[in-house]
Amino acid sequence: MSLFAGLRKIHSNVIVLALLIVGALERAAWLILRPEARWASGEALNVAASVARDGTIGDVFARGSGLTAHFTPILPFVAGYIYRVFGLHSPTAEFLLATMSISMVLGSGYLLFLCLERLGTPKPWRLAALAIFCLIPLFPDLETTSFRIWEGALAALLGAWVLLRVLNAELAEDRTLRTWGITCAIASILFFLNPALGVAGFAMLGIWLIRQCPLRAWLPFVVSAVVILVAVLTPWTVRNYEAFGRFIPLRSNMGLELALANHPAAVSGDNQVDVFRNRLREIHPQESQAAFDRMQAMGGERVYADRLGDEAKQWIRAHPAQFATLSLRHVVQFYFPPAWQWDIYGGLNRAIVVKLALVWTLAALGLIAALASLVLWRGRYLYPAMLVLVTALPYAMVQPVLRYHYLIHGITLFLGIELIRRCVAAVMPGRQRAG
């Protein structure tokens, strides 16, 4: 009996539940065996600590740096109030946050499993994709620790949810404004949380509108989408205008990110990790006391980021060819994170090299599948193609890191399995049956 034939004899819900449980246990075991991985770090932790202390969304670079719009506050705000109730870095708080992070990770995998069903992938192949996602955690540090406060797992979950809803709406021929409005609300929250993945979410909604509704019926859909997006962004925008005296609907850090990625030293392809480390120490207030002092002397993070952004834009205008080269490199690194990104402050080891090979393989399969979805498969496959392809575009202007690649990790894995299935079906026609 083949493996696939054996899987058909077991109720898929039992297998799915078992995979999710084992996946959760694996990630919990990873935490237990690595006591040094105790809590998330960086700017998100600083904001969570500020919320825990006095309820303010501030001190993103250090205590005393003031109110912030460096990034949108959903998870730091949630984590901050958990810390406020149970204590900063208390075992109870960290247990709750780790449980939340792992649940979001596995939840996104389950939603993608359902999406493959809507796309028509047979059951054994869907289970194979879910098994790889659950049982081979390639980013355990992100999934168990960083995403307690950083947005990657929640953004991936919401992105998969939008994909599932547009697939369900198309299959059911559901063109009601109620269904559209709920999906727009999820996409708007996703856009607020992570603009790159949010753009991909609205791209999926746009494709649904083109495929399902005649042009004359678009007006109420478009108007309701705009109203919902404005409603989601308004509270944060008003807060930022009151705090900083300017229109900031999302984040104020774009200038800093632009400057980190686009400068003369970045053009060379040699020693990229050293170039990135040196640039961080030179201008990032979280990484350098000198940069922090310059930021404070200029008048705070917003003014500092704007100044850096202006300098970066001047360099870009003067060096368009070099900017284009860097942008292409960033897109490649977004899909295929180089070895140095796995441990920017340390060295490589054999385990990282193995993970790198697996991540690159899955990313290549998923990228090929996304391009095939766009050009060859089309139909409902246009929706997951947006998640893979559109999400990368905003990151062309900045230096990608592993957290950014994780946004497409799940969808590239699941689409890659569909590509393998189609290749097998082409080689062995008649062997594939719907699940």
Side-chain angles (χ1 to χ4, degrees), residues 43 55 87-88 105 108 150 161 173 176 185 211 231 246 249-250 372 406:
E43 300 98 300
L88 186 65
V105 166
S108 69
W150 294 92
W161 194 7
E173 298 185 353
T176 62
R211 286 172 53 83
R246 61 174 292 183
L250 293 170
Y406 190 87

Side-chain angles (χ1 to χ4, degrees), residues 151-164:
E151 82 279 2
L154 179 56
L157 177 68
L158 294 178
W161 194 7
V162 173
L163 174 60
L164 180 61

